[in-house]
Each structure stands twice: as structure tokens, then as C-alpha cells.
Amino acid sequence: MNRRMFACAAAALALSFGLSHGAKAETPIKLGMVAHLSGPLAGGEAVTHLPNVQLWLEEVNAKGGLMVGGKRRPVELVQYDDKTNPAEHIKAVQRLATQDEVDFMVAPYGTGFNIAAAPIYAKYNYPMIAVTAITDEIHELTAKFPNMFFTLGSTTGFVEGATRTLEKLRSDGVIGSKVAMVNVADAFGIELADVAREKFTAAGFEIVYDKSYPLGTPDLSPVVKGAKAADPDAFVAWSYPPDTFALTEQAIIEDLQVGAFYTAVATAFPAYAGKFGGAIEGNLGAGGVNPETDAMKAYRKRHQEVTGKAPDFWASATYYSALQVLQQAIEGADTTDREAVTAYIKNNAFDTVIGTIKFDAHNNSERYWSVGQWRNGHFVAVADTGMGDSVAPVAKKGWK
């Protein structure tokens, strides 16, 4: 396991400036991160997490760091690669806590990894703002791990957004009731598919094809061929980034003609539009944003300028917002004591690029976008919980 430890360039400049004027350098606040720098989920990590950590570090350290005890302390990142391996991830989190003794940690990418790492975060009192984690076990998990927080909602809420979207398209007369559904066979996909079977059926949809596939499956053409053979009106995939791309590519090859085509994680990625171009007009997927707010426009501009990359149209902004929550909580509590910071997160509201975040009694934020759609180069929200700014979905009209 390779260790990568570095301080943000802006922090180095700030420290250099201070030392040149005879000032004493303040002790850095160490931030730990176990990332998927390689392996099946590396692509998603590279889009949603890593650039936002870079952006946040640069912005914080450009000001000299976080204000704690009347002094600004630079933030230093300690990072490991888990190779998208749960066992490696757990070992690295344990090392950050016990050997590196980092002050805080950022939550991992992926539902399964968040749940697997939660006991260690709790053992050492690290506040854990689990952004890229969607589960119906929020109440149980936060009761067991009271330092754990959720920002993208529950599995049921997520599926209800997709169900409402399909119902709207059906009521508009652009799709029928036959759904082909597939899922990646990990905690994320399995749980979403389980809930979707219940919700879709209750809404009067007939699931005419139902298939799961292992994470990292190299060839998904049999899955799409099977779905096409079922002659569905809508295709829904509870997918992770590699399979989102692969399923879409196969749908184009097979000319899968449906009025609603939904893939989950990575549908909101700029690279998705970059790869498929106009063919994805009307494609539905996980998340979406309201790109028209001043805060969102400013965030997207800063992200591009600092990282050289465009953020995605969903979890990027929420992940950056989670870092804003952590920053405001540390400075608001005026301490690096983790229990005090966790208590501050529980009891306060936070201004972020996605709006105000406040956690309920179960450490859950009930404000999130659940379904987006590609429309003229933007992935805009067409279903949400608590946001109130979604637009109506439209039918997918072929693969241009």
C-alpha cells in the first residue's frame, strides 16, 4: 500500500510567507483520506472526490488554514490508495487513526465502503459525513454510529424519485408500464434493486427483465441483449461508473429503443457526455443539480479553474458541501476535538453550495436531488426531495 502524504501548495506558500517574516508556523491540522486511486471505482473517485478535496484544500490554505483558537492552522492531507479493496481500505483507515493520528478523515467513495469503515470512524470519534452512500439503514447505522451523517438520502427516497419520474412519463403517454431492471451486485445496487421491485410494482409497472451482475464485469453486452429481448418501455440500471458507461455503450450498439433510459452513478459525469455526445440527450440518471443558482455557478467556475476539470452534475457539489460542513463545524466549535465537532454538526445548520444543510434526529439531510436528465449539455434535476427546484422529465427519443 503506497503512502502519499503532502501539504497543499497554497499552505506551503502561506507557511513560507509567515516564516520569512519571523512568524511561527502553526501546527497543521491533518486530514486523512483513503481513496480508490486504482481499481474499479477509481474513475468515480477521480471525478467526485479527489478534485473537491483539492479545491477545498486550496481555498482553505490560501487563507492560512482553519481558524481554531484564534489562529489559522493549515490543513495537510495524508492519503492512501485502497485499490478499491475493502480489506485494504479498512487497514488504511486504521493506520490513519492509530499511526498517523490524523485529526479528521473524509468519508470514502461508495456505500459499501462507508458502511465497512463506519466502526473504525466511530471507535476513534471521527465525524463521518458519508456523501456517496445511499441506504435504508440510516436510522440503524446512525443509532449504532452516532458520528455518522448522510447527505444523499435513503434508498427508498432515491427509488421514489425514479418511480415518480417514470410515473410522470407514463402519465404523459410517452412510455408504457414494462421495465427492464439491472443492478451491480454490491450493497448499493442490491439494496436499490430490492426497493425498486417493491416501488415499481406498487406503481403499476411490470418488471419484465431483472438481472444482477458482479462489480467489475468486463462485458455487459449479454445484459443489454437480455433487456432488449424483453421489449421494455423503460430501462433502469442501478449501476456504478464502469458499468454505467458500458451499459450505455451496449444500448447504443444494440439500438435499445426505450422512452426512458436510466443509469445510476456516473451518468452525471462530464466524461459521460464527452464519450457519448448527443446520443445521451434525454438519458436519465442518479442525481442532477440546479445549475442556475449563483452559488452553483460560482462553485463550478472555481472547480474548473483550480482543478482543471469540470465537476459532475450531482455528488461533486454535495461532496464539496460536506467539506464546507466540516470546515464550519471545526471553526464553529473552535477546536479539533472530534467529539465537540460531531456535536456541532448535529446541532447546527450550514451554508453550502447546494443550500442549507441541517441534519435531523437521525443525522440525515432530507434535501437532495435524486434523478437528473441530460438536456442540451446539462444534467438537470427532474426529481428531488426537499430541494423544490426540479423540472419535468421528457421522453428519450432514440440514440442520435
Side-chain angles (χ1 to χ4, degrees):
M1 181 167 54
N2 295 322
R3 182 180 180 195
R4 300 172 63 211
M5 180 174 178
F6 58 90
C8 180
L13 289 172
L15 288 170
S16 173
F17 179 83
L19 290 173
S20 69
H21 287 73
K24 178 183 177 181
E26 299 299 335
T27 303
I29 294 173
K30 292 201 289 184
L31 179 71
M33 181 178 188
V34 182
H36 314 315
L37 301 180
S38 56
L41 295 183
E45 180 94 57
V47 172
T48 302
H49 281 197
L50 296 175
N52 284 289
V53 172
Q54 178 188 351
L55 171 61
W56 182 77
L57 284 171
E58 178 148 333
E59 291 180 339
V60 166
N61 286 329
K63 298 186 296 185
L66 297 177
M67 181 65 74
V68 179
K71 300 176 181 178
R72 289 204 173 273
R73 294 174 58 184
V75 180
E76 185 177 82
L77 183 66
V78 185
Q79 185 182 80
Y80 293 101
D81 178 15
D82 66 5
K83 305 178 179 66
T84 317
N85 181 304
E88 291 295 317
H89 187 92
I90 296 303
K91 286 194 294 185
V93 172
Q94 183 76 26
R95 182 172 181 177
L96 285 171
T98 60
Q99 296 184 38
D100 299 306
E101 297 183 332
V102 297
D103 298 289
F104 297 96
M105 281 193 260
V106 293
Y109 183 92
T111 300
F113 283 87
N114 275 279
I115 293 173
I120 302 177
Y121 278 74
K123 180 179 180 180
Y124 297 101
N125 299 314
Y126 287 98
M128 185 182 195
I129 307 173
V131 177
T132 47
I134 297 170
T135 177
D136 269 349
E137 298 179 2
I138 290 176
H139 292 189
E140 293 81 0
L141 286 166
T142 56
K144 189 174 182 179
F145 308 119
N147 60 307
M148 195 174 192
F149 301 86
F150 289 86
T151 60
L152 287 186
S154 66
T155 303
T156 295
F158 206 69
V159 173
E160 286 175 344
T163 305
R164 291 195 305 271
T165 301
L166 295 181
E167 286 180 307
K168 172 61 175 170
L169 292 171
R170 184 175 60 185
S171 70
D172 289 345
V174 297
I175 66 169
S177 294
K178 295 188 295 182
V179 177
M181 184 176 75
V182 304
N183 69 276
V184 61
D186 87 327
F188 170 83
I190 292 170
E191 191 173 334
L192 281 162
D194 285 345
V195 174
R197 290 185 191 99
E198 175 188 347
K199 296 295 181 182
F200 287 176
T201 301
F205 290 101
E206 178 189 3
I207 300 176
V208 295
Y209 183 76
D210 192 344
K211 179 74 173 177
S212 67
Y213 54 86
L215 178 66
T217 298
D219 181 11
L220 289 170
S221 59
V223 173
V224 176
K225 287 178 180 179
K228 182 178 180 179
D231 192 27
D233 300 301
F235 176 87
V236 175
W238 307 113
S239 54
Y240 268 144
D243 22 312
T244 290
F245 278 79
L247 289 166
T248 303
E249 183 171 19
Q250 289 302 318
I252 294 171
I253 292 171
E254 295 295 329
D255 193 28
L256 177 61
Q257 291 295 323
V258 287
F261 183 89
Y262 175 105
T263 46
V265 184
T267 312
F269 286 6
Y272 187 75
K275 179 175 177 62
F276 299 113
I280 62 167
E281 181 71 12
N283 280 29
L284 299 162
V289 297
N290 177 357
E292 299 305 319
T293 69
D294 290 341
M296 186 65 70
K297 288 177 180 178
Y299 157 72
R300 295 184 66 83
K301 183 174 184 291
R302 293 196 309 273
H303 190 290
Q304 181 71 53
E305 291 173 347
V306 172
T307 71
K309 302 176 182 178
D312 72 26
F313 285 94
W314 178 35
S316 282
T318 304
Y319 191 71
Y320 178 80
S321 295
L323 293 167
Q324 290 183 301
V325 169
L326 181 62
Q327 174 182 348
Q328 292 171 38
I330 293 169
E331 295 185 331
D334 199 28
T335 180
T336 56
D337 179 84
R338 294 191 286 271
E339 290 184 83
V341 171
T342 297
Y344 194 94
I345 295 173
K346 287 177 180 286
N347 297 313
N348 290 274
F350 303 89
D351 293 325
T352 76
V353 296
I354 66 169
T356 301
I357 291 179
K358 183 173 177 58
F359 297 97
D360 64 18
H362 299 287
N363 294 357
N364 186 33
S365 171
E366 287 289 347
R367 294 185 74 254
Y368 55 91
W369 297 289
S370 53
V371 182
Q373 184 170 46
W374 280 101
R375 309 263 279 269
N376 299 316
H378 291 87
F379 192 66
V380 299
V382 296
D384 69 81
T385 294
M387 304 297 285
D389 53 4
S390 298
V391 299
V394 298
K396 168 118 183 117
K397 296 181 179 178
W399 304 95
K400 298 177 183 177

